[in-house]
Amino acid sequence: MTSVKPEIEESWRGLLEDQFAAPYFSVLKEFIVAEKARHRIFPPGKLIFNAFNLTPAGRVKVVILGQDPYHGAGQAHGLCFSVPEGVKPPPSLLNIYKELNSDLGIPVPSHGNLEKWARQGVLLLNATLTVRAGQAGSHQNRGWETFTDAAISSLSASGNGIIFMLWGRYAQAKENLVDTSRHHVLKAAHPSPFSAASGFFGCRHFSRANRLLEEAGREPVDWSL
């Protein structure tokens, strides 16, 4: 990320052009450049906007919100909860797979790559898009949240019938960005091992989302991987 505008899918560029021109985004870019000079940063630069590039704004059916990229080597690739093939699925993702199996009977996948969901219109968005290696939360409150909040707000204003899956208190705090008269909000506990048994398991969000899509005459998501 330099003075050149970030490479982001065209529909998102149209929605977020004013964010790229805002003073806070220049400060954010300077911060990221300085971080890269001193530390290893995840995900790789070309994958920072991967969620946007794989899921154009006009195709978004479902939004799943995460907080921070994975901070281990090789894990983060720009999609919340997802890891590239060949990387061991983290505990929260394994719990997502358990709920999928319970809800829809889908076998637990052998990998953790959720790109198939993204290509079907599931926006897998972290609130913070970068992180310093080995230091969870190290890029929070630097401007990314302003940017991703703007993305959520723009989706809410420009679309209809999008299903927002808000897992855990952090994600649920974003509900105020969503026009609930136009969109659906599904809330549950976070799939982390610390909280999944407190309301994530049994939430049946995947079947509920597909039912809402079908009722609106839209293609349901094939959640199998």
Side-chain angles (χ1 to χ4, degrees):
M1 293 173 64
T2 65
S3 59
V4 178
K5 289 182 180 178
E7 292 187 13
I8 192 169
E9 190 273 333
E10 282 304 309
S11 64
W12 283 111
R13 181 174 296 284
L15 286 176
L16 298 171
E17 192 74 49
D18 58 335
Q19 301 300 310
F20 294 128
Y24 85 86
F25 202 83
S26 295
V27 175
L28 172 60
K29 286 194 291 183
E30 291 173 3
F31 167 73
I32 297 297
V33 169
E35 282 285 283
K36 283 184 174 180
R38 297 192 303 269
H39 306 283
R40 193 174 181 192
I41 303 303
F42 299 134
K46 64 181 181 179
L47 295 178
I48 290 173
F49 296 101
N50 202 23
F52 300 97
N53 293 333
L54 290 180
T55 314
R59 295 191 58 213
V60 175
K61 300 175 179 178
V62 176
V63 177
I64 298 177
L65 290 177
Q67 186 169 355
D68 211 36
Y70 295 124
H71 56 269
Q75 290 183 305
H77 66 144
L79 306 175
C80 72
F81 295 106
S82 180
V83 292
E85 291 195 35
V87 176
K88 182 181 178 181
S92 290
L93 181 55
L94 290 175
N95 284 338
I96 291 170
Y97 286 168
K98 288 177 184 177
E99 176 59 22
L100 260 179
N101 177 259
S102 173
D103 186 9
L104 292 171
I106 292 173
V108 173
S110 60
H111 64 86
N113 191 333
L114 305 182
E115 286 185 12
K116 180 180 175 183
W117 295 0
R119 295 184 189 281
Q120 293 181 79
V122 181
L123 181 66
L124 297 165
L125 182 64
N126 277 316
T128 303
L129 298 187
T130 56
V131 70
R132 188 186 299 175
Q135 297 188 36
S138 50
H139 288 185
Q140 290 177 4
N141 303 314
R142 293 288 186 165
W144 279 130
E145 295 91 342
T146 301
F147 179 79
T148 54
D149 281 0
I152 296 167
S153 295
S154 67
L155 267 186
S156 177
S158 62
N160 282 290
I162 296 171
I163 299 139
F164 290 82
M165 295 185 181
L166 306 182
W167 299 337
R169 285 177 292 179
Y170 185 89
Q172 288 164 18
K174 305 291 185 179
E175 184 177 5
N176 66 334
L177 303 172
V178 179
D179 182 347
T180 54
S181 70
R182 300 173 59 166
H183 304 284
H184 308 282
V185 172
L186 304 180
K187 292 187 281 189
H190 193 277
S192 159
F194 300 107
S195 55
S198 300
F200 179 76
F201 290 142
C203 70
R204 302 185 67 87
H205 278 188
F206 305 102
S207 61
R208 290 171 66 186
N210 276 357
R211 187 163 57 249
L212 289 166
L213 289 168
E214 289 173 328
E215 288 171 356
R218 303 184 73 184
E219 188 75 19
V221 176
D222 177 4
W223 295 105
S224 64
L225 293 165

